[in-house]
Amino acid sequence: MRDYILLFVNGKRNRIDGADAFRTVSDFLRGVLNLCGTKIVCSEGDCGSCSVLCGTPDFQNRRFSYKPIDSCIRFVYQLDGCNIVTVEGLADNEVQGGKLNCVQQAMIDCHGSQCGFCTPGFVMAMTGILEDSNSPSENDWRRGLTGNLCRCTGYSPIIEAGLRSDTKSSASMNDCFEPTAMLDAIGNAASQEITVTSNTQTIYSPTTIDQAVQYLVQYPEVKIVAGATDVGVQFNKGNCEAEVWLDLNRVWSMKTVSLTGGAIVAGAGATWSDIEILIENDLPQFHQILTWFGSPQIRNVGTIGGNIVNASPIADSLPLMFVCNAELQLTGGDGTREVNINDFYQGYKKFDLQPGELLSQIRIPLPEDDEELRLYKISRRQDLDISSFTGAIKMKLSGRKIRSAVIAYGAVGPVVLRLPKTESFLAGKELNEETMVAAGEIVVSEIKPITDVRGGDEYRLQLARNVLLKFLHEVRPEGALA
Amino acid sequence: MNEHSQNLLERVKVLDGKSVGKSIPHDSAIGHVTGSAPYIDDLPRRVDELFVGFAGSPFAAGKIVSVELDDAQKVEGVVCVLTHNDVGPHNIFGPLFCDEPFLADGELLYIGQPLVIVAAETQAALAEGINRIVINATASEPVLSVDEAIKQKKFIGPRRQIKCGDPETAINNAPEKLSGTFYIGGQEQFYLESQAAIAFPGEQDQLIVHSSTQNTTEIQTMVAEVLGLSMHQVVCICKRMGGAFGGKETQAVIPALMVSLVAQRTGRAARIVYDKDTDMCVTGKRHAYVCNWEVGFKPDGQIVGLKCDFYSDGGAAADLSTSVMERTLLHADNSYFFEHAQFNGQVCKTNVPPNTAFRGFGGPQAVAATENIIERIAEYLKIDAFDLRLKNTYGQTDRNVTPYGQLFSGNHMSEIMETLAESSNYRHRVAKLPGRNSTDRMNLHGISMTPVKFGISFTTKFLNQANALVNVYTDGTIQVSTGGTEMGQGLNTKIRQLVADEFGVGYSSVIVMPTSTEKNNNTSPTAASAGTDLNGAAAVNGSQIIKKRLADFAAEIFASPEKGLIPSPDHIEFAGGIVSDVRQPGSGIPFSELCNRARLERIDLGARGFYKTPGVDFNRETGKGNPFLYYTQGAAVAEVSIDRFTGELTVPRVDLLMDIGKSINPKVDMGQITGGFIQGMGWVTAECLVYDEKGNLLSHSPTTYKIPAITDVPPEFNCAFFPNDDNLHCVRRSKAVGEPPLLLGVAAWAAVKNALSFLPSDHDPNLSLPATGEEILRCLTEQANG
Ligand SMILES: Cc1cc2nc3c(=O)[nH]c(=O)nc-3n(C[C@H](O)[C@H](O)[C@H](O)COP(=O)(O)OP(=O)(O)OC[C@H]3O[C@@H](n4cnc5c(N)ncnc54)[C@H](O)[C@@H]3O)c2cc1C
Ligand code: FES
Ligand code: FES
């Protein structure tokens, strides 16, 4: 058992215990290490100004894997064994020898900074993009930077800077920060359980599910932390004051995801980035939704388990899981039980997870070949925005006939809703405009959307109707025109 | 020298300029990309420094009954807790009218209005202290909309008018008439660096205030006034801002006052940095407007008479609202000639934070209102809106006087619009729209071109002045200080370029110093797009004073009686870091050597330059005058695509053409154009301020308030300069660029309006601004049903 966190920052080792382990990473960088290049704007993962690169150790390949994250919603205790690269570290390392890296140089040459407040975050996210690819396209740059806001430039100069970054002129992070010494310094410590305490808080970081469950059974009131993209925001906004935390980030067995037996089988700790890559070909509809989900920084750490247990009625993955009858594995002291996600939620943020249990695995059966699936995520802004409305429609069709229909809508009630009346109305009907208009009127009798900051009730009701028509036009373009 | 050859020389100088005209990177670019350029929150903490925060009003309207501070004072680490009782007799301030309480006193004006200041040793103690404050207050019914304010006659300042001809009769006699009410939403500046300030106490009751402000003199004046000091006891410094956009022209005052008061009371350094949610909740924004309009026109689209009644949401105090409204009235013509027009403007008083400057300063609302009318007429007459626009555009030799009586000289509007129509293939693309819209069942498409003619100068005459301090050192390097503040717009870069060229030295020989009232007194805000026009000109004037002295001195050095050359300052040239006498090729000494020798000869190497804009004047009582030195002009074509089922909007293509004169730094200026346009597009399509019925702002962080993201930038985004060197009015024939491109964002809104016009129904759903997905879906649904 260890009582401290080992964290590298720009290759330099930090042994962190006590209250500092509970700080957010940005707070630690700025407040403890005086690395003020990392900027804070929102403290909620929505602007990217605090972006840093998080290098996670990969012992097998003897290297670190670097991904941009939002340091404002990541806690120090989540990053044991990682190397954080900040904007200060890009040029100031042995390999670069003080020379600006190619992104920094291109941002200068292309006038990619105006007020400069967003710039460190952009530079980090852009450097992260180059870790993944040598010659990103314009689209790669755009998709890769959805997590970074700039109010000054209108982004064009930044896109240009991306395209003009000459990767040959600067080294990769694994070159800049020699991995061997860091990996050796971590050594066996990687498999140790960690408990750090401060005057007011305790964090326990296990490396196996069994350890995690045992701890949970012992301290049922503990707050579980996975990616912290929900918890971190709640913490920063003063809505989460736990005393005992259980961090799942080092439970590697919970992070795997695969396509097995016609289903996505994901550990609860699998990140959206990993899922996104895996399903690109097999479930393109969901892949599309995931490209809009949060931002790269969010998807790099946010987990599928967190999305489910956070239990928001506007969580973007839920409509799909509802219509595909996803099975949740819940593990506790007495073993593991399975629950269909359609039976999991009981009310607003209420669900069937008993004290002492955690969500360990999710199994999402892929749609059959003769099923049409469409997913909808409607928000004020396409990228990095919480949905105003979500929906999943799955139908089995034979010819012009609907054999069966399954529909789930989000943001229309306290939980994601299946629409049984509409579903049974549709079964056996001809798939045409008349059917869908009539179905729309049944839909609105089954839901009770509210008016809030993301839209009015009328808007949501209209979307609920129209999405049915959109489905029709998408799956039967010829029929719809006729 | 005759005028012609003088012009020629001027032109040669422009072409030969070593720095001006080049796209030199931003002054702080290296600091930005390495994270080493500090903002207020990054400055190292002094050991005695206090964390400052505040507790605000729980109600949008009401009365304070009592405030309980005891518990807060008892928190360990809390050093002081201050209310209006601690402020003294001058607890009220304002840039135009003195009507805004610094700390709420009796009456509550908006939610979050600062009430109690807390200063503490640690952030945690500060938070705890604020938590423990109990505010007992009674709530009353707040006024939360312009409509409600009109109903209750809650107004700020007088109703203003600009009028020409006899619009009443013209509209009555017009063959065609339309009228309506147009709703325009506000906009959050969303500078990334929130409001921030530090105060350090000094000797003799002095205070040094570092503020993220566009207006150091305003901070100095207000701190002195409210704290009962004299102006010479307060220094305000601003090195840089992490964005401002108008939001730090006056609104930086309250945080600066808070830390100043704490520093004065405790004798310790004090710093405040708003978090984003607080900043968005308690600071003013772009004004929401309601415009009642009435227009008369001919069947060919010529407008014969126009009346617009503008009402703006001024918020709880005047701030700059009456000036903002003035600019609205001065831009309601946009680039169109109206023989008979009447624009009325009234600021309304509501219970939201006082609304304030935001890039465009009332101009964007005016242009949106006018372009809405243009699109309506085009729809109604079923003619292309571009033809309508051309028909009504200002003429060169006639039809060229604005409703306020200023002659529109240097008019390039028609040329810009025709050129852009050509380069964007406008006609061809518009011709294809009906076909595309009748076959595409998923999306609806629209295209629109909107022009802009933006008047440059402060409409308040006295603000059109600037001073600069130029210090030349004996190694030939130069420090320049002006009252202009750097918020990302590249002002410092341009000033370095201008001054370097004056002395014929390299760009790196010049540094622009932090803005400070200690060096530049009685300055104007860096606003109205005129930062470079004013401060750049003052810096050039200051440089020329020193240069004159140096030329006189050099003339003596280079004089050669044996060659028959008498001393001639006119022949002294400063170029390439060398000072020489052009009559003696190959002669010359390094600029640095000349400076050193000048000092030994006791020649003053420092000077203050001063500049005031010639000729501008405007009488707001009569609504007539020449408020502007010149106009920055441009046009944009935007194409939009709308999801027929969800109302979701995308902007696949935008083409812009801007006349900004001869650019001092083309890439800096282009950055203003792309940035301004995207900001404008955000305002008209996406950014939505949502309040609840009590007056709480619900969209108070980037989670809920959505500014454009990188993927919202049109995939095809062509921006070009309109070549033009006829602006003799401005330093190096440049033109102001900061605000005008924002107004081009209106093209995206107009394109939505255009797209909706392709729906079969003739019913006008009266699209408001912003055209969010929700608003568009409302229109789609209404048109489908009605
Ligand atoms: C800027 C931003 C953008 C976002 N965008 C989107 C979006 O587009 N769509 C969307 O749906 N969501 C979005 N989110 C929400 C969030 O990213 C997702 O819900 C994410 O999947 C949460 O995963 P996490 O691992 O970060 O959860 P955490 O924050 O770590 O945990 C969330 C909750 O789940 C619990 N929990 C986590 N894992 C387990 C487990 N294995 N067993 C039991 N309980 C567990 C935690 O105790 C906590 O209550 C966004 C968040 C941010 C900050
Ligand atoms: S500060 Fe905005 S994402 Fe971290
Ligand atoms: S440069 Fe100012 S926000 Fe990006």
Side-chain angles (χ1 to χ4, degrees), chain A residues 321-355:
Chain A
M321 290 199 248
F322 271 63
V323 300
C324 291
N325 279 308
E327 289 288 341
L328 309 182
Q329 281 192 3
L330 309 171
T331 305
D334 303 335
T336 295
R337 64 191 175 103
E338 292 208 341
V339 176
N340 184 310
I341 197 160
N342 284 287
D343 304 323
F344 185 63
Y345 297 101
Q346 298 150 341
Y348 182 68
K349 300 243 169 186
K350 284 212 189 77
F351 41 84
D352 177 17
L353 187 71
Q354 301 308 315

Side-chain angles (χ1 to χ4, degrees), chain A residues 183-226:
Chain A
L183 290 171
D184 290 348
I186 306 164
N188 294 337
S191 55
Q192 289 170 338
E193 295 161 73
I194 304 174
T195 305
V196 183
T197 50
S198 74
N199 289 342
T200 51
Q201 300 178 81
T202 302
I203 172 71
Y204 172 64
S205 170
T207 58
T208 67
I209 294 194
D210 283 349
Q211 292 166 352
V213 169
Q214 267 174 31
Y215 196 79
L216 258 184
V217 170
Q218 206 177 339
Y219 304 103
E221 77 289 6
V222 61
K223 181 71 185 169
I224 295 179
V225 184

Side-chain angles (χ1 to χ4, degrees), chain A residues 39-50 70-72:
Chain A
K39 304 294 177 225
I40 293 300
V41 174
C42 68
S43 304
E44 57 186 14
D46 260 297
C47 76
S49 303
C50 62
D70 292 319
S71 64
C72 68

Side-chain angles (χ1 to χ4, degrees), chain B residues 600-623:
Chain B
L600 299 176
E601 289 303 319
R602 301 187 295 176
I603 291 167
D604 183 3
L605 292 179
R608 235 170 96 101
F610 184 76
Y611 175 80
K612 58 180 176 181
T613 312
V616 293
D617 209 356
F618 177 66
N619 181 334
R620 46 184 69 123
E621 302 300 329
T622 59

